[in-house]
Amino acid sequence: TILDAGKEAGMDVIGVGKIYDIFAGRGITKTYPNEGNQKNMERVRELMEEEFNGLCFVNLVDFDMLYGHRNDIDGYVRALNEVDRQLGMMLEKMKEEDLLIITADHGCDPSTPSTDHSREYTPLVIAGAPVKAGINLGTRASFADIAASVLEYLEVPGETAGKSFMNEVLK
């Protein structure tokens, strides 16, 4: 994985939330177990105060586990509002070279009749000083495009099945 490639390149690969579990610990140099969206976001803001060179990979499991699979629309909205508030604080703390990529591993819409995963496509939002404003990347062919882009941005050698979009988004 790109986590392995980052670690092999001597970079910090920090997992917050279920990342260690999802990747069976592979490629992780430091882990902070899941404590829920709010605590995980607070942890990221703390990590932003530290010097590290590499990747901080965060999983906000509450959207899926607590609200999506339970069809809890009100809880989902509250969680979105809380993460939005915390994202504002994170954006203020970002350094010139920092890049923020937000996506999801699957959809779990709390408003559908099913409690199963419900969306074919997921969002991809990229922010930071190096990023051009208003770029529409369209529908990507694969999650592997994110992996290829992260490797390119970090200048880490590695192979993925994806195609980097960095040349489209960087200033």
Side-chain angles (χ1 to χ4, degrees), residues 5-81:
K7 183 177 179 180
E8 288 168 15
M11 297 193 136
D12 299 305
V13 181
I14 303 168
V16 178
K18 288 178 50 176
I19 300 303
Y20 186 90
D21 298 331
I22 292 167
F23 291 93
R26 286 192 47 185
I28 305 293
T29 61
K30 187 183 276 188
T31 185
Y32 298 91
N34 182 50
E35 295 186 75
N37 287 1
Q38 183 168 339
K39 291 282 190 191
N40 290 352
M41 292 292 286
E42 289 170 7
R43 172 70 66 197
V44 172
R45 288 199 337 270
E46 291 169 7
L47 290 166
M48 291 175 77
E49 299 293 330
E50 300 176 13
E51 282 296 319
F52 72 89
N53 180 33
L55 173 68
C56 179
F57 196 173
V58 184
N59 179 269
L60 301 177
V61 70
D62 292 359
F63 291 114
D64 185 66
M65 183 180 70
L66 297 181
Y67 309 117
H69 286 301
R70 290 181 170 87
N71 292 67
D72 182 352
I73 296 170
D74 293 336
Y76 201 96
V77 169
R78 284 190 304 276
L80 278 173
N81 287 330

Side-chain angles (χ1 to χ4, degrees), residues 68-71 73 108-119:
H69 286 301
R70 290 181 170 87
N71 292 67
I73 296 170
C108 199
D109 185 338
S111 70
T112 61
S114 171
T115 58
D116 291 333
H117 300 148
S118 55
R119 298 280 190 220

Side-chain angles (χ1 to χ4, degrees), residues 27 60 90 125 171:
L60 301 177
M90 281 177 56
V125 178
K171 294 178 181 170

Side-chain angles (χ1 to χ4, degrees), residues 70-135:
R70 290 181 170 87
N71 292 67
D72 182 352
I73 296 170
D74 293 336
Y76 201 96
V77 169
R78 284 190 304 276
L80 278 173
N81 287 330
E82 177 58 26
V83 168
D84 185 55
R85 183 185 69 77
Q86 294 209 33
L87 276 173
M89 291 186 276
M90 281 177 56
L91 290 169
E92 290 175 6
K93 286 185 171 204
M94 287 177 65
K95 298 176 182 106
E96 284 297 310
E97 70 278 5
D98 289 348
L99 190 67
L100 173 68
I101 299 175
I102 300 172
T103 191
D105 58 347
H106 52 71
C108 199
D109 185 338
S111 70
T112 61
S114 171
T115 58
D116 291 333
H117 300 148
S118 55
R119 298 280 190 220
E120 186 174 346
Y121 301 108
T122 61
L124 174 60
V125 178
I126 307 163
V131 177
K132 296 181 220 174
I135 301 300

